[in-house]
């Protein structure tokens, strides 16, 4: 559902709200502290510590129904540290006092161990590391039961009765790195995973990055270290594995680092899921979040992934906010704390399943605005109108009632699958860039497969005309995918390409993935990297010539492949040889016809920079043309648009096709429409005479196009003869 001026209250809309069904229904229970949850499955108990209604407590809950069983007062700076399930013992830590051991059943003290406070000098290696990031909580060695403290670059083991130091490990890292900020043991006690602060790896908006380290405790040697240019925000360990989450900055999202047996197995950038629990019974990871258009930042969108690869299996819809905390195999449930209600929630793990299509209610009566429509074009070679067009309709909340926010307007996202005759309400907005892939003549599916780029997820796929979407990104390492390209021969070769702009330079000191283009040959089930390329264009005759045109990632040099992306050859470049840009944002290929050569087009941009390096192309558009497969380039439509006008993104540009000898290129809502009547050699700006802001949505036979109403409502078909040369009035 689109954002608006106010959030509607229950029953305030004049039509049913679309909802997914079925959804895992969490059980809401008693208020719960904000600390991590510790579950003793065989005993059917959950433990948590912290303030509840202003009083610090150690509380116990029932795993079956979440009801509060018992609570005892604790000091305000005490917190539950760990649980020994076999010894039925709880560890409660208080700085400067040490650790108290409690009987897990009676919650009575059975022992106390004083621990030394880490020396101030230990943590002064990097004075600008925030104290809140340092692991002031001790660890419990899973094998010996000894208490472990961390200070600076030292790990110390203490006698579990006297607290005396019995062993010490100084992490052997060269340079000025330190202190240790995160730590955990493997379940067998043989590995120690650490994060060590390093100012040289700081992202542009934080004081420090991290070196991720795995130490073999049998030899006390570092067996692997990897650089992470991010601020650590998540740390989930299980068995001999670990997932580290690092926040980069607003346009990138999360970096996920997966470790297994002391080695980094995979690094995924621009991720939109925060992993919260390991489902031991089914061998899967469960997290929260999705993509900007399909649930990013939405705690009700649960994601399930392979714990050996981080590949997403599916997304499931929860009925309420659920910041997941832990999984309990004995009760086969996932537990979390509701941020809004401050209560323990329980979701049956077996209820997590791919989200089903929500019910789409008819749109309320009103003017449908399609100025920024998402249009799903028919697959290549198939005629007919658009498969789907999105729009928005304005509604008034709680009109004539006492509903909070009553009388305020908000926008609802809508879709039409019949050319604008009828409209239904979408649960959430669709992304730009949806493409339809033609099904095989032997395929019994009733609809084509649709693919879309989904930031934070990578690529999503729908087989029910956009009503539901699931991840199709296995193998893609940079999940902020911006473009998906479908082979014109998809029905036979099942080939797709995906590109992302959010990868690090090949010579970076990061250990992040550097590929930016991927190919799938099985309809999106698995992907493989094909290089550091962007702005791909597939030949209309791809079935025979296997030609793909591309540009270097955030660069001006063009490349060509004539074997479907296996091998690439450098061609020419945009701009002067001593120019850093422009960067190619979108590319297309117009086939040769009527004695004219094949034309390659690219919408190039000036680009923006973050942290001193090229970030992604989004401004300063200009259309360039090549008639020799990228060897030479000529700019055919220059503009001086800038980042100060954010709607001028080149990502909105789309070559809609040809009708009655005229090629139609939609740029954006401001530049309008470019037309070519000579096979793409020259282009001229046009706009609709009676509705200058109306966007062109699709081409139709006979020199007609489908447009969305800029000043008028809905969708209509007009002749290209109604377009006049020049920009829309008041625009450039």
């Amino acid at each position: 559902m689109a954002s608006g001026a106010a959030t509607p209250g229950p029953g305030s809309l004049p039509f049913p709200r679309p909802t997914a069904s079925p959804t895992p229904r969490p059980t809401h229970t008693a208020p719960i502290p904000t600390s991590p949850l510790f579950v003793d499955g065989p005993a059917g108990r959950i433990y948590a510590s912290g303030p509840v209604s202003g009083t610090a407590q150690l509380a116990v809950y029932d795993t079956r129904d979440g009801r509060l069983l018992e609570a005892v007062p604790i000091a305000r700076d005490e917190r539950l540290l760990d649980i020994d399930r076999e010894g039925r013992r709880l560890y409660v830590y208080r700085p400067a006092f040490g650790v108290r051991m409690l009987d897990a059943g009676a919650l009575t003290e059975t022992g106390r161990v004083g621990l030394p406070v880490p020396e101030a000098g230990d943590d002064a290696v990097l004075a600008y590391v925030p104290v809140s990031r340092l692991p002031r909580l001790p660890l419990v060695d899973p094998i010996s039961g000894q208490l472990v403290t961390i200070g600076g670059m030292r790990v110390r083991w203490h006698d579990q009765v006297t607290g005396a130091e019995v062993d010490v490990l100084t992490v052997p890292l060269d340079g000025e790195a330190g202190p240790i900020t995160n730590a955990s043991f493997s379940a067998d006690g043989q590995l120690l995973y650490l994060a060590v602060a390093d100012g040289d790896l700081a992202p542009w908006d934080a004081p420090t990055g991290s070196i991720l380290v795995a130490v073999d405790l049998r030899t006390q040697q570092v067996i692997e270290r990897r650089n992470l240019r991010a601020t650590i925000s998540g740390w989930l360990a299980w068995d001999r594995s670990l997932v580290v989450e690092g926040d980069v900055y607003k346009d990138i999202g999360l970096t996920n680092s997966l470790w297994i047996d002391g080695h980094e197995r995979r690094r995924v950038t621009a991720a939109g899921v925060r992993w919260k629990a390991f489902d031991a019974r089914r061998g899967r990871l469960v997290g929260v979040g999705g993509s900007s258009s399909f649930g990013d930042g939405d705690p009700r969108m649960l994601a399930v992934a392979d714990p050996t690869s981080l590949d997403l299996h599916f997304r499931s819809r929860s009925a309420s906010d659920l910041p997941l905390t832990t999984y309990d195999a004995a009760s086969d449930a996932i537990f979390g704390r509701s941020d809004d209600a401050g209560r323990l929630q329980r979701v049956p793990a077996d209820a997590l399943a791919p989200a089903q299509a929500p019910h789409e209610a008819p749109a309320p009566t009103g003017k449908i605005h399609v100025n920024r429509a998402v249009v799903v074009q028919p697959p290549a070679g198939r005629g007919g109108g658009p498969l789907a067009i999105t729009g928005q309709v304005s509604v008034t909340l709680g009109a004539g009632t006492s509903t909070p926010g009553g009388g305020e307007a908000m926008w609802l996202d809508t879709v039409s699958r019949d050319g604008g005759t009828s409209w239904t309400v979408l649960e959430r907005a669709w992304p730009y860039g949806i493409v339809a892939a033609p099904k095989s003549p032997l395929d019994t599916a009733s609809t084509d497969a649709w693919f879309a780029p989904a930031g934070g997820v990578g690529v999503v796929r729908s087989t029910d005309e956009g009503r539901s979407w699931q991840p199709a990104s296995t193998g893609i390492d940079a999940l902020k995918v911006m473009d998906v390209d479908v082979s014109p021969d998809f029905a036979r070769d099942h080939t797709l390409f995906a590109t992302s702009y959010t990868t690090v330079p090949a010579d970076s000191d990061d250990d992040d993935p550097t590929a930016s283009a991927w190919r799938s040959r099985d309809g999106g089930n698995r992907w493989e990297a094909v290089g550091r390329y962007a702005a791909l264009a597939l030949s209309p005759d791809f079935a025979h010539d296997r030609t793909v045109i591309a540009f270097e990632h955030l660069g001006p040099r063009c490349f060509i492949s004539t074997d479907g992306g296996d091998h690439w050859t450098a061609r020419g470049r945009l701009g002067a040889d001593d120019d850093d840009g422009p960067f190619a944002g979108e590319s297309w290929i117009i086939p040769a016809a009527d004695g004219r050569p094949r034309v390659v087009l690219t919408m190039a941009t000036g680009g923006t920079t973050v942290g001193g390096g090229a970030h992604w192309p989004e401004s300063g558009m200009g259309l360039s043309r090549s008639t020799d497969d990228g060897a030479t380039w000529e700019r055919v439509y220059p503009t001086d648009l800038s980042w100060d006008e954010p709607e001028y993104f080149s990502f909105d540009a789309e070559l809609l096709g040809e009708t009655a000898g005229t090629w139609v290129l939609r740029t954006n809502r401001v530049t309008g429409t470019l037309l070519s009547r000579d096979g793409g050699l020259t282009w001229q700006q046009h706009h609709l005479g009676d509705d200058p802001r109306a966007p062109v949505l699709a081409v139709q036979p006979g020199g007609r196009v489908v447009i969305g109403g800029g000043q008028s409502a809905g969708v209509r078909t007009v002749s290209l003869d109604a377009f006049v040369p020049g920009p829309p009035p008041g625009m450039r």
Side-chain angles (χ1 to χ4, degrees):
M1 184 172 292
S3 59
T7 301
S12 61
L13 297 179
F15 49 87
R17 181 191 298 273
T19 57
S21 178
T23 59
R25 305 287 305 186
T27 301
H28 299 259
T29 61
I32 188 169
T34 58
S35 73
L37 304 180
F38 294 87
V39 182
D40 185 351
R45 295 160 73 92
I46 303 172
Y47 300 89
S49 62
V52 176
S53 302
T55 302
Q57 299 179 6
L58 174 60
V60 187
Y61 302 84
D62 192 312
T63 59
R64 295 168 299 180
D65 53 19
R67 62 189 175 88
L68 179 65
L69 298 177
E70 188 177 359
V72 297
I74 58 176
R76 295 193 66 84
D77 57 348
E78 273 190 307
R79 64 179 295 179
L80 184 59
L81 179 67
D82 206 343
I83 178 174
D84 177 1
R85 293 169 180 81
E86 293 183 0
R88 304 290 295 132
R89 175 187 297 174
L90 303 178
Y91 297 88
V92 180
Y93 176 65
R94 186 179 185 187
F97 287 87
V99 174
R100 292 194 298 141
M101 278 77 77
L102 306 179
D103 181 277
L107 300 185
T108 55
E109 184 174 318
T110 60
R112 182 175 296 200
V113 179
L115 293 177
V117 178
E119 299 177 8
D122 287 342
D123 291 330
V125 182
L126 288 177
Y128 52 78
V129 177
V131 172
S132 61
R133 287 192 53 203
L134 303 181
R136 299 299 179 183
L137 292 179
L139 305 175
V140 179
D141 188 305
I143 302 302
S144 68
Q146 293 172 331
L147 299 172
V148 180
T149 59
I150 297 174
M153 295 295 288
R154 296 182 180 88
V155 182
R156 295 179 171 90
W157 280 256
H158 302 268
D159 185 275
Q160 54 188 319
V161 176
T162 67
E165 182 178 307
V166 296
D167 199 2
V168 62
L169 167 68
T170 300
V171 181
L173 288 183
D174 299 329
E176 298 297 323
I180 298 169
T181 60
N182 299 77
S184 62
F185 288 99
S186 62
D188 60 10
Q190 295 180 357
L191 298 173
L192 178 62
Y193 289 113
L194 302 169
V196 180
D198 190 334
D200 292 337
L201 293 173
W204 73 282
D205 61 346
T208 178
S210 295
I211 301 173
L212 304 180
V213 176
V215 179
D216 187 331
L217 293 177
R218 295 167 295 183
T219 63
Q220 294 199 348
Q221 296 297 311
V222 172
I223 58 178
E224 183 152 327
R225 58 174 287 176
R226 304 285 283 175
N227 294 338
L228 179 66
R229 191 178 295 277
T231 300
I232 293 178
S233 58
W235 187 276
L236 174 64
W238 71 96
D239 297 340
R240 289 172 59 89
S241 301
L242 170 74
V243 170
V244 180
E245 294 173 0
D247 283 308
V248 185
Y249 46 83
K250 65 180 180 68
D251 287 332
I252 300 300
L254 298 171
T255 295
N256 288 339
S257 174
L258 172 65
W259 292 69
I260 300 176
D261 294 331
H263 298 278
E264 187 180 51
R265 178 70 61 87
R266 191 179 184 198
R267 180 78 63 90
V268 177
T269 63
V273 178
R274 295 187 181 275
W275 300 111
K276 297 297 185 180
F278 174 66
D279 181 343
R281 181 176 295 192
R282 296 166 186 81
R284 64 187 186 182
L285 286 173
V286 181
V288 295
S291 72
S292 56
S293 296
F294 296 102
D296 190 14
D298 183 353
R300 294 171 299 171
M301 185 62 74
L302 308 182
V304 174
D306 185 335
T308 66
S309 65
L310 293 184
D311 288 323
L312 292 170
H313 288 331
F314 62 85
R315 290 175 304 171
S316 180
R317 191 77 171 168
S318 174
S320 130
D321 293 352
L322 183 62
L324 300 176
T325 299
T326 189
Y327 167 79
D328 172 44
S331 59
D332 195 27
I334 300 169
F335 297 91
R337 179 185 182 276
S338 169
D339 281 342
D340 55 354
R343 292 177 178 272
L344 178 67
Q345 296 190 29
R346 179 185 187 275
V347 171
D350 61 2
L352 296 183
Q356 296 186 9
H359 170 69
E360 292 182 355
T365 303
K367 178 180 179 180
I368 301 292
H369 296 260
V370 290
N371 297 52
R372 299 298 300 270
V374 174
V375 182
V376 184
Q377 307 290 356
R382 184 191 303 173
L387 301 180
I389 303 170
T390 66
Q392 289 186 316
V393 62
S394 177
V395 297
T396 301
L397 301 178
T401 72
S402 58
T403 302
E408 297 187 37
M410 70 173 295
W411 292 95
L412 299 179
D413 292 294
T414 61
V415 65
S416 174
R417 297 182 178 88
D418 55 12
T421 300
S422 62
W423 297 82
T424 57
V425 177
L426 291 172
E427 186 178 24
R428 61 182 61 87
W430 283 358
Y432 285 94
I434 298 176
V435 291
K439 63 180 181 180
S440 166
L442 301 179
D443 191 346
T444 58
S446 59
T447 62
D448 303 307
W450 293 5
F451 296 89
V457 174
V459 176
V460 291
R461 175 174 51 204
S462 174
T463 56
D464 54 10
E465 297 182 319
R467 291 176 176 84
S468 63
W469 300 84
Q470 287 299 333
S473 307
T474 297
I476 296 178
D477 296 323
L479 296 180
K480 202 174 187 73
V481 170
M482 305 305 295
D483 290 294
V484 178
D485 294 282
V486 176
S487 163
D489 197 36
F490 181 89
R492 282 181 287 271
D493 64 23
H494 310 296
T495 297
L496 299 156
F497 289 85
T499 52
S500 172
Y501 292 101
T502 52
T503 57
V504 301
D507 58 354
S508 171
D509 57 359
D510 298 358
D511 287 318
D512 287 353
T514 59
S516 61
W518 295 265
R519 176 184 59 196
S520 173
R521 289 173 166 171
D522 60 3
N525 293 324
R526 295 199 64 84
W527 298 78
E528 59 181 348
V530 296
R532 192 169 170 78
Y533 304 108
L536 274 64
L538 276 62
S539 166
D541 197 26
F542 183 80
H544 300 98
D545 62 27
R546 312 301 292 171
T547 296
V548 186
I549 299 289
F551 284 82
E552 61 183 323
H553 178 263
L554 293 176
R557 186 167 298 280
C558 179
F559 291 80
I560 188 172
S561 172
T562 56
D563 56 10
D566 288 336
H567 303 88
W568 299 83
T569 302
R571 302 291 287 169
R573 56 169 289 151
L574 301 171
D577 289 341
D578 58 351
D579 188 5
D580 290 336
F583 310 137
E586 298 277 3
S587 299
W588 308 274
I589 297 177
I590 294 179
D594 300 328
R596 291 189 291 262
R598 177 161 70 181
V599 174
V600 183
L601 300 169
T602 187
M603 189 69 78
T605 80
T608 62
T609 61
V610 170
H615 179 35
W616 63 16
E618 51 191 8
S619 59
M621 296 194 315
L623 183 65
S624 295
R625 176 204 70 198
S626 174
T627 56
D628 50 15
D629 284 344
T632 59
W633 291 89
E634 177 183 357
R635 188 161 172 154
V636 294
Y637 181 70
T639 72
D640 59 355
L641 305 181
S642 69
W643 169 241
D644 294 331
E645 298 160 299
E647 62 236 309
Y648 302 162
F649 291 1
S650 66
F651 297 129
D652 289 352
E654 183 178 1
L655 184 66
L656 299 177
E658 179 265 341
T659 177
T662 299
W663 284 88
V664 181
L665 181 91
R666 183 186 66 220
T667 57
N668 52 46
R669 62 185 296 188
V670 177
T671 305
T673 303
L674 302 182
L675 302 180
S676 174
R677 293 183 169 88
D678 56 9
L681 296 176
T682 61
W683 295 83
Q684 189 175 17
Q685 191 176 16
H686 285 72
H687 66 273
L688 186 62
D690 64 354
D691 198 351
R693 301 289 186 87
V696 178
L697 306 179
V699 297
Q700 297 281 276
R704 300 181 67 80
V705 293
V706 179
I707 67 165
Q711 298 170 352
S712 59
V715 174
R716 56 192 173 118
T717 301
V718 301
S719 170
L720 283 177
D721 294 338
F723 284 73
V724 297
M731 300 298 173
R732 291 179 280 180

